[in-house]
Amino acid sequence: MEDYSEFFKSVDAEAEKPDTYVDFSLPPKPKAAAPQTDAAPATDDRSVLKDAAGLWGMGSGSLVQGLGWLFNSDEMTALGQRTSEYWQNTLSETQKAANEKRFVNDDWSLGVGATDLNTIFGTVVQSLPHMVPGVGAAGLAAKGATVAGATPRLASLLAAGEGVTIGAMVGSEVDQTIRGLSEEDKMRSPYYADLRKLHDEDEATNRLSKMAANPAALKSGTAGAALGIVFNKFLGDALTRRLSGGPVKEGVKGGLIEGGTEVLQSGAEAHSTQSALNEYAAQPMNYTDMVNQMVGGLAAGTTMGVGVGVA
């Protein structure tokens, strides 16, 4: 019996050791994994009115920059730049993306912007502030001349004040582009190296900018004023109630006149800008950019022309 007693004691002692028995219990049931879902995209709470205000603000800022260049005012130029940047930051992500799209690609294929209503909307609204002051002042001048008894032709000639804003915008763009070039890029200019022999970088850049921007502004302003005479005559007639047709007829007429005018004016602006940068800063000509500007001008001009004719 003593042997059996010792035997059972040894079995009990072994059983008390944690690693001497087999755990036949089932492992805990794993928790169900959460269903895999794509992360929710960031919401873009777009407001058309808010985007319209932002686009108008951007266009107004660039106009102020142009006037700052025209009046040689650094404060006005800086104000215009800050204004454009501020309003650009208020745009929805949808509108920001649309603004980057092009009507014509570099390989001359149709760009996605040509069929994107947001791109067209952005182009039109952002362009209007550039057009309203010049065309508005020109129209008032035409009205004043007509009311005073001047001939319609003289009224149209007085409307050539639109060229001032066109020239200012082109001069400002040329100036900003040249000032944004690196020293290495400016050295490619056929004039800059000689200027650097006589002046420090800032003064040489100032002189190169004036050499390029002043004739470009004069050229584009003169061309824009000449091209705008027909529409400015139409605008003067609208202001003095001399339009004979109904709203639909005059709206179509205004759209055709101002749409065509803006195509030509935009082409003249783009060509003046790029020609100046090519001659004075050795920048390559980009003809698809010119076409994109002309298409944008067509959209903006047609919108304004229809509005004037219907109103």
Side-chain angles (χ1 to χ4, degrees), residues 156-240:
S156 299
L157 292 175
L158 288 175
E162 181 185 3
V164 174
T165 55
I166 292 176
M169 296 298 296
V170 168
S172 176
E173 184 176 353
V174 172
D175 175 72
Q176 291 177 53
T177 301
I178 288 179
R179 293 183 187 282
L181 296 175
S182 65
E183 179 77 352
E184 181 181 357
D185 287 338
K186 285 182 286 192
M187 278 296 182
R188 297 192 179 99
S189 164
Y191 306 97
Y192 187 73
D194 291 336
L195 291 171
R196 283 292 276 126
K197 294 175 183 177
L198 302 173
H199 309 284
D200 61 20
E201 182 179 353
D202 287 343
E203 182 59 25
T205 301
N206 287 336
R207 290 174 179 265
L208 180 65
S209 173
K210 290 180 181 179
M211 290 172 63
N214 289 349
L218 180 62
K219 177 181 175 182
S220 60
T222 302
L227 291 168
I229 287 177
V230 175
F231 179 72
N232 287 323
K233 168 61 170 59
F234 177 81
L235 179 59
D237 288 343
L239 290 171
T240 53

Side-chain angles (χ1 to χ4, degrees), residues 78-183:
L79 174 62
Q81 184 174 359
R82 290 196 303 271
T83 300
S84 294
E85 291 173 353
Y86 170 81
W87 286 106
Q88 184 175 16
N89 290 332
T90 68
L91 298 180
S92 66
E93 294 303 318
T94 297
Q95 191 59 55
K96 288 179 182 178
N99 288 352
E100 298 298 320
K101 297 177 182 178
R102 292 163 60 87
F103 299 113
V104 179
N105 297 320
D106 289 335
D107 61 358
W108 294 100
S109 61
L110 187 66
V112 293
T115 55
D116 190 327
L117 294 179
N118 291 322
T119 301
I120 298 171
F121 171 74
T123 300
V124 170
V125 179
Q126 197 172 341
S127 299
L128 289 178
H130 306 167
M131 302 163 60
V132 169
V135 174
L140 290 175
K143 180 178 180 180
T146 304
V147 170
T151 65
R153 188 171 188 178
L154 177 57
S156 299
L157 292 175
L158 288 175
E162 181 185 3
V164 174
T165 55
I166 292 176
M169 296 298 296
V170 168
S172 176
E173 184 176 353
V174 172
D175 175 72
Q176 291 177 53
T177 301
I178 288 179
R179 293 183 187 282
L181 296 175
S182 65
E183 179 77 352

